[in-house]
Amino acid sequence: MKILAFAGSNSEVSINKKLVTFAASFFPDDNVEILDLNDFEMPIYKHERELENGIPQLAKDFASKIDSSDLILMSLAEHNSVYSAAFKNVFDWVSRIRDRKDFGDKPIFLMATAPGNGGGKNVIEVFLKRAPFSGANVITYFSLPNFKERFEEGKGITDEERKAEFHEKLEAVKAHFS
């Protein structure tokens, strides 16, 4: 199976990238590609810019990565209760490519984490509302609040209750392909 994994963040020290990389490690027999949104940095979407210059090649490249995958692992950063500007901009440009759904009807394991108690629940809620209109087939989702207290590099999720929930959700994702 070909798996595309990325964090909806352009932070160099993204906790969401740490979470999605951790999730990707549970697919050792699959072809996993972990993307960095910094490699897809484009001008902020503007209709006039699109008319003048067309859709950037980077947006087409990102869409191609989606289209060639069987599963998407995505962990969204929450900025002011919604997506990060970096994710939103890639999403905006990809949505302008004709004759395709933004996420190509691909199965998605949606995740979010944050340093506080919310754990990115607002951005998950926003994405879930948008998903049906964007060709995003969310199998399940997982939120990890208080990242610094509940995640340790090299070990992963350290909170036993959250770890059990994560593995339950991971098994649901894997069962989707059985």
Side-chain angles (χ1 to χ4, degrees):
M1 183 163 60
K2 185 164 183 189
I3 300 170
L4 180 65
F6 64 91
S9 171
N10 63 347
S11 170
E12 300 294 330
V13 293
S14 169
I15 59 177
N16 281 281
K17 187 166 187 180
K18 290 176 184 179
L19 180 61
V20 81
T21 300
F22 172 71
S25 73
F26 289 93
F27 295 89
D29 298 327
D30 296 298
N31 179 8
V32 179
E33 182 177 10
I34 300 172
L35 298 182
D36 185 329
L37 283 191
N38 288 302
D39 295 333
F40 297 90
E41 191 170 310
M42 296 171 270
I44 294 174
Y45 177 79
K46 180 167 73 171
H47 180 68
E48 294 83 0
R49 190 172 281 136
E50 179 185 357
L51 290 175
E52 185 177 317
N53 302 313
I55 296 169
Q57 185 60 46
L58 288 173
K60 294 173 186 175
D61 294 346
F62 194 88
S64 178
K65 299 273 188 195
I66 290 170
D67 293 344
S68 67
S69 68
D70 299 307
L71 169 65
I72 298 171
L73 305 176
M74 180 169 60
S75 188
L76 296 176
E78 183 176 290
H79 293 185
N80 297 314
S81 300
V82 294
Y83 324 116
S84 71
F87 173 76
K88 177 78 166 70
N89 196 50
V90 171
F91 183 37
D92 286 345
W93 278 113
V94 168
S95 76
R96 300 301 299 159
I97 300 171
R98 294 192 190 280
D99 300 323
R100 69 178 307 282
K101 292 185 178 178
D102 310 344
F103 289 94
D105 290 322
K106 299 297 178 171
I108 296 175
F109 181 16
L110 177 63
M111 294 166 272
T113 189
N117 290 331
K121 68 180 180 181
N122 293 317
V123 73
I124 286 176
E125 186 177 306
V126 168
F127 189 83
L128 289 174
K129 285 180 183 175
R130 181 69 203 151
F133 307 104
S134 301
N137 177 13
V138 178
I139 300 168
T140 191
Y141 59 90
F142 174 76
S143 167
L144 181 63
N146 304 105
F147 180 82
K148 291 178 181 175
E149 291 83 32
R150 293 183 167 154
F151 190 95
E152 188 177 322
E153 290 200 50
K155 289 185 180 180
I157 300 169
T158 56
D159 178 279
E160 292 303 320
E161 185 177 326
R162 294 294 177 162
K163 185 191 297 186
E165 178 188 354
F166 174 81
H167 285 288
E168 179 182 311
K169 303 279 177 109
L170 193 60
E171 289 308 313
V173 170
K174 289 182 176 187
H176 181 82
F177 294 95
S178 314

